């Protein structure tokens, strides 16, 4: 069974950093593009970025609100996806999900497998 | 960036009745090289991650009940739930995957 298991998260002060992790299993991790989506309390889904497969250059794309503060990386030897979040702001408070599309190349960005989500709270 | 907008923001439907949710994009999501619309629908229940319901605007994900259907092309799309069941109470989102950044619409809250 395909699975994404997240770790990290918690309470962090404004301006500090935090790193989220997501480990995949049950599929060929190196083949997929991996996405981060967040959801502020009581709000909708916000795409924050993705990392392509190594075969596609492991290129990253980040949404405008986070592109100068967040970075995405992957370690396919460990089936590990990471989100490094720097200079955190209270507006970054949200549940963060990792997700991926497992249906093949044209459906890489239809997200049919999701992590369980992890809450990040940015507050002093 | 492609902007996607749903209507209505919330919807109350009786059990057994039909629910219709609309999604509009700021530019066409029809990719002419494969004649497919790059639009998906998700369902999210409280405390859970979203669940993919439909992709290519009208292809139902495996295991999704056939009372869920998607339609539309270009810039205007619809998610229809026929014969509403109690377990369909959720927030529904459309998502375009035509271009990066990928974007979700604001969501529609469906209640009984």
């Amino acid at each position: 069974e395909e699975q994404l298991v997240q770790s990290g998260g918690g309470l962090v002060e404004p301006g500090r950093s935090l790193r989220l992790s997501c480990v995949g299993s049950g599929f060929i991790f190196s083949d997929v593009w991996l996405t981060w989506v967040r959801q502020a309390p009581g709000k909708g889904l916000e795409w924050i970025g993705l990392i392509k497969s190594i075969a596609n250059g492991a290129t990253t794309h980040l949404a405008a609100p986070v592109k100068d503060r967040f970075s995405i990386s992957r370690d396919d030897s460990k089936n590990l996806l990471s989100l490094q979040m720097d200079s955190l702001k209270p507006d970054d408070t949200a549940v963060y999900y990792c997700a991926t599309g497992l249906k093949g190349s044209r459906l890489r960005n239809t997200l049919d497998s999701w992590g369980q989500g992890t809450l990040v709270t940015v507050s002093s | 960036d492609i902007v996607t907008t749903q209507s209505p923001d919330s919807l109350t439907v009786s059990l057994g009745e039909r629910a219709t949710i609309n999604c509009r994009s700021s530019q066409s999501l029809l990719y002419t090289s494969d004649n497919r619309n790059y639009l998906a629908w998700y369902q999210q229940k409280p405390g859970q991650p979203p669940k993919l319901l439909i992709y290519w605007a009208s292809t139902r994900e495996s295991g999704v009940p056939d009372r869920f259907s998607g339609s539309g092309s270009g810039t205007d799309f619809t998610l229809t739930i026929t014969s509403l069941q109690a377990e369909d109470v959720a927030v529904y989102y459309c998502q375009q995957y035509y271009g990066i950044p990928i974007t979700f619409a604001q969501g529609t809250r469906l209640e009984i």
Side-chain angles (χ1 to χ4, degrees), chain A residues 33 35 37 39 42-47 50 52 61 63 97 103 106-107 109-112 114-117, chain B residues 34 36 38 40 42 44 47-52 55-56 61 93 95 97 100-106 109:
Chain A
W33 294 13
T35 294
V37 174
Q39 187 168 37
K43 302 298 184 181
L45 302 172
E46 180 185 14
W47 178 89
L50 66 81
K52 297 181 179 180
H61 294 272
Y97 295 100
K103 298 186 187 308
R106 290 186 302 157
L107 290 168
N109 294 320
T110 56
L111 305 171
D112 53 7
W114 292 72
Q116 80 276 21
Chain B
D34 60 10
R36 291 189 181 273
Y38 281 56
Y42 296 82
Q44 187 180 31
Q48 297 182 17
K51 173 188 174 183
L52 177 66
Y55 55 96
W56 296 141
E61 171 74 328
Y93 297 91
Q95 173 223 6
Y97 51 100
I100 294 174
I102 294 159
T103 49
F104 292 92
Q106 81 278 17
R109 183 174 303 275

Side-chain angles (χ1 to χ4, degrees), chain A residues 44-45, chain B residues 5-10 21 91-94 104-109:
Chain A
L45 302 172
Chain B
T5 306
Q6 282 177 234
S7 62
D9 290 335
S10 64
I21 300 170
V91 180
Y92 292 84
Y93 297 91
C94 62
F104 292 92
Q106 81 278 17
T108 295
R109 183 174 303 275

Side-chain angles (χ1 to χ4, degrees), chain B residues 18-92:
Chain B
R18 174 191 301 253
T20 301
I21 300 170
N22 300 301
C23 176
R24 174 166 287 178
S25 63
S26 60
Q27 67 182 71
S28 177
L29 303 181
L30 179 63
Y31 196 41
T32 53
S33 67
D34 60 10
N35 200 37
R36 291 189 181 273
N37 287 281
Y38 281 56
L39 182 107
W41 289 96
Y42 296 82
Q43 174 194 64
Q44 187 180 31
K45 297 182 178 180
Q48 297 182 17
K51 173 188 174 183
L52 177 66
L53 294 177
I54 287 170
Y55 55 96
W56 296 141
S58 61
T59 300
R60 203 177 300 114
E61 171 74 328
S62 175
V64 172
D66 61 6
R67 63 179 181 273
F68 291 88
S69 64
S71 62
S73 183
T75 62
D76 291 284
F77 303 90
T78 300
L79 173 69
T80 302
I81 311 170
T82 57
S83 189
L84 195 73
Q85 305 296 303
E87 61 264 31
D88 299 334
V89 169
V91 180
Y92 292 84

Side-chain angles (χ1 to χ4, degrees), chain A residues 22-99:
Chain A
C22 174
V23 174
S25 61
F27 59 95
I28 302 174
F29 191 85
S30 59
D31 282 354
V32 303
W33 294 13
L34 297 154
T35 294
W36 288 98
V37 174
R38 71 182 179 183
Q39 187 168 37
K43 302 298 184 181
L45 302 172
E46 180 185 14
W47 178 89
I48 57 172
L50 66 81
I51 185 166
K52 297 181 179 180
S53 62
I54 298 291
N56 294 117
T59 306
T60 60
H61 294 272
L62 288 158
V66 304
K67 65 179 297 187
D68 295 327
R69 302 182 294 119
F70 291 11
S71 60
I72 301 174
S73 61
R74 63 190 297 161
D75 182 345
D76 291 348
S77 69
K78 298 178 181 177
N79 285 7
L80 176 64
L81 167 70
S82 299
L83 177 67
Q84 177 67 37
M85 303 183 291
D86 298 324
S87 302
L88 282 161
K89 306 174 182 180
D91 283 353
D92 296 318
T93 295
V95 173
Y96 285 73
Y97 295 100
C98 60

